[in-house]
Amino acid sequence: MKALIYILVILLLSSCYEDKGNYDYKEINTVDVSLDEVYAVRLGKDTTITIVPRLSQLLQKDDENLSYVWLYSTINHNFYGLASSYGFDTVGIEPNLHFHVDPNEKDLKYEHYFRLNVYDKITGIEYPVNTKIKLIKPYDGAWMVLHRKNGQTSLGAVEYVDGDIQVRKEAYYNETGKRFAGKPLCLGQYTTACKYYGYGSNWNMFYVITDVPAEAGVYCQWKGFEKKDSLSRMVAPMARAGFDYQNIQLLDGDGSASALLLSNHVLYQIPRAGKVYKPGTKLDGEMKITLASKVSNTALLYDEAGHRFAFYYNTSDGYGTKKYDPLYFSEGEENVDLIQEIPIRDGNVSVVDPNKLSPDQKVLYVGVGYKYDQDRTKMYGYALAKSEDKCFVYEFNSKGFTDPTYSSFNGYYQFDLPQDLDENCRFVSSPPYSGIIFYASGNKVYRLDFKQSEGKAKVIYTHPGGKVTGMKFAKRIDPYPPKDFDFTAYQFDMKQSLGLSFDMGDGTSDFVILNLSSTGSVGADSEDYPALQVYSDFGEIADFVFI
């Protein structure tokens, strides 16, 4: 068969070579049709999306010679392949497409594929062009900012939509027409799978916490901040007696499957369905958890009363109908794990004991550290302490908390106290940065390299006035599974995107985002957004989180 093709090609070439070209050519009409590859539309209220194709013709002055057919599929854009096997619909015969979207549709799809076929009746030539409408969930891939101004608690947002940054100081009020009654405490999020709160296999559960228990709880940001549940109901009945709703310091869910909450220095754990339990402990003596951080799916803790580190690992995987049911509480099934001391393993650092710290050290920070393997759980945890003139960094292998084949405490670093590092600083770290902790003091942000540079601190950003009050990376692990959380519109690596709040001293705060380079300095701008972003005139910021 190949030989036959080659012979035909040679004959054709030979024929062309002998052709003297004595012909009269007549120019024919051609049509140029173009559409954007993707039309990104922020999903809000019931709406009709209009797409207008760009169209021109070589010879014709009007379009009376043209006919149009819009084909539609939710499978993919290959209308002569997979989509044709499953069928597609004709949704228009006019030049412009008018596509209706109901955000309350039960099985709403977020990607819609279209083909416009333009047919020239004069030449008999058809011109097909493909495009896609991508519906963007509101506040999906946005920074949420909980703040208070003139005695009123507000929830604001910095949102990234199709190359445009939209800043809303009153996002919650604008969507609902309602006001929060309580004082702001904190925000939180974590990945879970509970259809009681949102449909789909996984959902980014978003918490707004004020000091009003019935008001604090789960809100669905992409459904007009619909309130899904109240913290007053979510706290397990066996934990309600001692739960302090007015003194919640932290809700940390970075990781998946579960979150942790600190209330009046007591640790509570939150499994998949949003239930709040108080875990038991194996630690001896009085316990006061003042610092806590998820490190992948494990929690690294600091107990101030015992002056020691500890960990908590929730083995309740949440599978099974009842465990997904937020109305079902069973400590025997969902709250069997205990807070434990740092395990003694082969390979542990032995020069100090993480379960009994030196009295001269004051612990200021615990957080996630470097990710040393592609496995989601193979990640370090960092802790920082100081004495009068020294700084100390502890490095934990979270894998070793539960797996005896790994060391659990694998690094200890001591160096002179860096400039401006004191008890009023804010600290943060992120998996891309090995041996680096960032801290902020006053209006300056520092990169502290405790491995390569033996404790050298370098200023990476100076804010024009104000005093830092908060510091947090957008994400500390990659969203899982990736198909459920597409944050590409953000245009920066979320694990290198650092949010900060600065109290400006006049009842207002600045919210600052530093998108960092791989070395920990302020990086380069993206295609549409600057690496350094400053948003002024928020109220006094209580907390912020990327969702």
Side-chain angles (χ1 to χ4, degrees), residues 525-544:
D525 297 345
S526 71
E527 180 180 355
D528 297 303
Y529 308 131
L532 168 60
Q533 302 169 27
V534 179
Y535 306 105
S536 300
D537 204 33
F538 281 92
E540 295 178 346
I541 294 177
D543 199 9
F544 51 88

Side-chain angles (χ1 to χ4, degrees), residues 430-443:
S430 184
Y433 302 108
S434 178
I436 294 176
I437 293 177
F438 299 87
Y439 70 93
S441 177
N443 66 333

Side-chain angles (χ1 to χ4, degrees), residues 239-255:
R240 288 174 189 168
F243 192 92
D244 188 347
Y245 293 95
Q246 279 71 49
N247 190 10
I248 298 173
Q249 297 92 25
L250 171 71
L251 200 163
D252 183 10
D254 207 24

Side-chain angles (χ1 to χ4, degrees), residues 245-410:
Y245 293 95
Q246 279 71 49
N247 190 10
I248 298 173
Q249 297 92 25
L250 171 71
L251 200 163
D252 183 10
D254 207 24
S256 64
S258 62
L260 65 84
L261 182 149
L262 282 187
S263 174
N264 198 19
H265 306 303
V266 176
L267 178 73
Y268 293 85
Q269 66 101 352
I270 308 175
R272 289 180 185 267
K275 293 164 279 190
V276 179
Y277 291 98
K278 179 183 176 182
T281 180
K282 284 180 119 178
L283 302 183
D284 295 327
E286 185 183 354
M287 187 172 62
K288 181 181 180 181
I289 306 297
T290 55
L291 298 170
S293 175
K294 286 295 295 290
V295 181
S296 186
N297 292 337
T298 307
L300 176 61
L301 314 172
Y302 170 64
D303 170 27
E304 184 181 86
H307 199 39
R308 57 194 166 182
F309 296 109
F311 83 95
Y312 176 79
Y313 178 64
N314 177 23
T315 59
S316 173
D317 57 20
Y319 291 107
T321 303
K322 288 186 176 180
K323 292 180 181 179
Y324 275 108
D325 183 355
L327 303 179
Y328 172 80
F329 293 95
S330 173
E331 280 206 293
E333 295 178 53
E334 300 180 299
N335 197 38
V336 298
D337 302 293
L338 304 174
I339 299 171
Q340 301 182 53
E341 67 177 13
I342 304 300
I344 305 301
R345 308 284 195 209
D346 291 339
N348 272 17
V349 172
S350 58
V351 66
V352 292
D353 184 357
N355 296 302
K356 188 177 181 181
L357 302 181
S358 173
D360 70 329
Q361 292 189 23
K362 182 174 180 61
V363 179
L364 304 178
Y365 172 69
V366 300
V368 70
Y370 179 62
K371 182 178 178 182
Y372 62 89
D373 192 273
Q374 291 305 308
D375 189 311
R376 288 168 58 82
T377 62
K378 292 180 180 177
M379 186 179 293
Y380 294 140
Y382 291 155
L384 182 144
K386 69 173 287 293
S387 65
E388 186 174 342
D389 60 349
K390 297 290 183 181
C391 189
F392 313 89
V393 174
Y394 294 76
E395 184 178 76
F396 299 96
N397 187 338
S398 65
K399 190 74 171 178
F401 291 163
T402 56
D403 187 338
T405 62
Y406 290 81
S407 62
S408 61
F409 172 40
N410 59 288

Side-chain angles (χ1 to χ4, degrees), residues 30-214:
T30 58
V31 181
D32 181 45
V33 185
S34 63
L35 298 164
D36 291 348
E37 183 178 349
V38 178
Y39 291 87
V41 179
R42 185 178 184 271
L43 186 61
K45 299 178 181 179
D46 191 289
T47 187
T48 297
I49 301 167
T50 299
I51 295 179
V52 179
R54 297 177 292 274
L55 189 148
S56 63
Q57 298 189 74
L58 180 63
L59 300 179
Q60 298 299 117
K61 302 300 183 184
D62 54 45
D63 64 348
E64 293 182 359
N65 59 308
L66 303 179
S67 63
Y68 310 89
V69 175
W70 285 91
L71 304 178
Y72 166 63
S73 171
T74 58
I75 305 299
N76 70 357
H77 64 273
N78 185 7
F79 284 83
Y80 295 128
L82 180 62
S84 60
S85 301
Y86 287 88
F88 49 78
D89 297 324
T90 298
V91 291
I93 57 173
E94 300 294 330
N96 301 340
L97 173 69
H98 304 284
F99 184 68
H100 176 249
V101 176
D102 179 4
N104 296 314
E105 183 180 338
K106 182 178 180 181
D107 296 319
L108 180 66
K109 305 294 184 182
Y110 286 87
E111 292 189 345
H112 302 265
Y113 301 92
F114 300 89
R115 167 168 287 182
L116 171 60
N117 289 326
V118 179
Y119 179 73
D120 186 350
K121 291 177 282 189
I122 296 176
T123 63
I125 299 175
E126 186 176 67
Y127 301 86
V129 185
N130 293 342
T131 191
K132 177 173 73 173
I133 290 178
K134 182 176 181 179
L135 302 179
I136 300 173
K137 293 180 180 179
Y139 309 106
D140 197 41
W143 289 93
M144 306 305 298
V145 182
L146 185 64
H147 61 112
R148 188 171 179 86
K149 193 172 186 178
N150 298 325
Q152 175 60 56
T153 296
S154 299
L155 181 65
V158 179
E159 190 177 11
Y160 302 80
V161 181
D162 197 25
D164 180 40
I165 300 176
Q166 300 178 11
V167 182
R168 298 176 177 86
K169 309 290 174 54
E170 297 278 1
Y172 176 75
Y173 176 74
N174 293 342
E175 294 282 353
T176 67
K178 302 176 183 178
R179 298 283 189 185
F180 289 108
K183 294 180 181 179
L185 297 179
C186 65
L187 299 174
Q189 67 81 34
Y190 73 103
T191 303
T192 187
C194 180
K195 294 183 179 180
Y196 180 86
Y197 296 120
Y199 55 83
S201 59
N202 285 276
W203 189 48
N204 196 8
M205 191 179 296
F206 172 51
Y207 286 85
V208 180
I209 306 297
T210 72
D211 64 356
V212 176

